[in-house]
Amino acid sequence: MKKTEDTNKIIKRCLSIPNMLHVREAAEGEAPSRTITGYAILFNTPSEPLWSDDDSEAREMIAPGAVSQEFLDSQDIKMTMFHDNHLLLARSDKGEGTLTYSIDDKGVAFEFDAPNTVDGDKALELVRRGDIKGCSFAFSTRYYNSDFVERTSETAPNGTVNITYTVKSILGIYDFTLAANPYYPDTSVEARELTDKLRDDLRQAPAKGKNEEANKQLREMRQAAQKRIF
């Protein structure tokens, strides 16, 4: 039963996108633009490492099929600063509101007009100055279910195990946010949770019936997991 519980467990995460914010330029003779544009999600783009050491490195990636226009239009997505709902800049509730978005080959793009509020003025100035450089989005998925998140790994020539978690399906999106530091805001917690799960998977993985290369990789990954000390 434990495996079923793990498989069905829903985990809420944040993933950040660096250097994807712009203030739209106004046409000649027009008032300065207040339109902020960017990408909240990039497809097939490896994240910053969840963890990285001499033995292994793990990254996360969003697959293009993880979200659709229909799915986004079913969500209540708040545009905020720093994942703080009190710093609300725009909103799309069931596809209607002041936040607009679209999906292309690159990812999920968005735009909104900064509101005429203290927070809106602050966001606009920080983006113009380049003090806020990236975006982040909060989402949830069944992280330990391979139908939702696929884990692949390969061993580099130096012996480091490179692990990629590809998110194939997202269950909920809660916000897009302007991020001062385009990294994972809770990396240490997530790294421990994912690494603990990786260690458990490796201990339970059968070694029989595999070819020699797969056995070698499995042994190396077991050694990497056993060496890691928290």
Side-chain angles (χ1 to χ4, degrees):
M1 293 301 295
K2 184 176 185 300
K3 183 176 181 181
T4 300
E5 293 171 357
D6 287 344
T7 297
N8 291 327
K9 182 179 180 181
I10 297 175
I11 293 179
K12 187 174 180 180
R13 307 251 304 113
C14 297
L15 192 154
S16 298
I17 306 299
N19 301 320
M20 282 291 165
L21 278 176
H22 306 280
V23 177
R24 179 171 292 167
E25 293 185 8
E28 186 176 353
E30 292 184 350
S33 173
R34 296 183 65 87
T35 303
I36 297 176
T37 67
Y39 277 83
I41 303 174
L42 290 180
F43 297 143
N44 294 328
T45 302
S47 70
E48 293 291 322
L50 294 173
W51 76 82
S52 181
D53 54 34
D54 291 340
D55 299 315
S56 63
E57 181 175 277
R59 296 177 183 269
E60 189 173 49
M61 193 160 59
I62 306 296
V67 295
S68 65
Q69 189 72 35
E70 182 181 8
F71 169 77
L72 292 174
D73 289 344
S74 72
Q75 304 295 294
D76 181 3
I77 306 173
K78 302 171 183 67
M79 189 78 219
T80 68
M81 284 195 292
F82 320 127
H83 293 292
D84 186 341
N85 286 342
H86 293 97
L87 303 178
L88 185 64
L89 302 173
R91 186 173 188 172
S92 175
D93 189 1
K94 306 297 188 296
E96 300 290 336
T98 52
L99 172 67
T100 61
Y101 45 76
S102 60
I103 300 176
D104 57 26
D105 292 340
K106 192 173 185 177
V108 178
F110 69 84
E111 73 171 52
F112 67 94
D113 288 337
N116 292 308
T117 63
V118 172
D119 293 332
D121 292 343
K122 177 180 178 180
L124 194 62
E125 181 65 13
L126 290 175
V127 173
R128 278 181 175 151
R129 284 160 45 116
D131 295 332
I132 288 182
K133 296 181 179 296
C135 305
S136 179
F137 77 106
F139 70 99
S140 61
T141 188
R142 301 187 191 279
Y143 218 89
Y144 303 138
N145 185 327
S146 60
D147 290 335
F148 290 80
V149 179
E150 181 181 12
R151 192 193 74 202
T152 58
S153 61
E154 60 180 11
T155 303
N158 64 0
T160 300
V161 179
N162 295 316
I163 304 163
T164 300
Y165 293 90
T166 301
V167 179
K168 301 190 295 183
S169 181
I170 290 175
L171 291 175
I173 291 181
Y174 309 100
D175 72 21
F176 298 160
T177 199
L178 307 185
N181 297 310
Y183 304 102
Y184 289 93
D186 49 357
T187 301
S188 60
V189 174
E190 293 165 354
R192 172 173 290 212
E193 184 173 10
L194 293 175
T195 306
D196 285 347
K197 177 61 178 174
L198 171 62
R199 181 191 292 112
D200 291 342
D201 289 346
L202 293 176
R203 286 175 175 170
Q204 297 172 11
K208 294 182 180 180
K210 307 286 185 179
N211 60 39
E212 183 57 32
E213 181 60 28
N215 283 335
K216 179 182 178 182
Q217 181 173 324
L218 183 60
R219 287 194 298 271
E220 291 172 342
M221 292 177 69
R222 280 201 179 106
Q223 291 170 1
Q226 291 169 354
K227 288 179 181 178
R228 191 171 295 110
I229 299 174
F230 295 104

